């Protein structure tokens, strides 16, 4: 296994790593390993744009028609005095 040395880490970053490690019940060194593993594994995944993520979340909710665009139209505010 390789070793990596990181110099000039801000004190607040070190404190945050120590706190996260404590919450997970392992060493600060293991916390850094976990963060690096996650960062490298997520790198290859393509991140969807916001609209695509919203559409995926509500897929199968019963909306089968495209929503009309409201560009250039005046939208009346809701009446909350009910």
């Amino acid at each position: 296994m390789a070793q990596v040395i990181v110099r000039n880490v801000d004190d607040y970053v070190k404190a945050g790593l120590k706190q996260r490690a404590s919450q997970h019940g392992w060493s600060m060194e293991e916390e850094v390993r976990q963060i690096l593993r996650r960062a490298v594994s997520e790198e290859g995944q393509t991140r969807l744009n916001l609209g695509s993520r919203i559409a995926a979340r509500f897929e199968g909710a019963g909306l089968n028609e495209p929503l009309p665009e409201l560009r250039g139209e005046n939208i009346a505010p809701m009446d909350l005095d009910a």
Side-chain angles (χ1 to χ4, degrees), residues 35-51:
I35 291 169
L36 292 173
R37 278 188 201 110
R38 209 170 26 251
V40 170
S41 69
E42 291 173 356
E43 187 177 280
Q45 299 173 359
T46 56
R47 186 168 167 105
L48 296 175
N49 291 329
L50 177 60

Side-chain angles (χ1 to χ4, degrees), residues 7-46:
R7 290 179 170 61
N8 301 320
V9 176
D10 293 328
D11 290 335
Y12 77 93
V13 173
K14 181 181 175 188
L17 286 169
K18 192 172 187 176
Q19 181 181 10
R20 285 177 55 134
S22 176
Q23 290 171 348
H24 292 124
W26 50 50
S27 68
M28 190 168 62
E29 188 175 346
E30 181 60 26
E31 182 67 27
V32 172
R33 277 191 216 101
Q34 294 291 333
I35 291 169
L36 292 173
R37 278 188 201 110
R38 209 170 26 251
V40 170
S41 69
E42 291 173 356
E43 187 177 280
Q45 299 173 359
T46 56

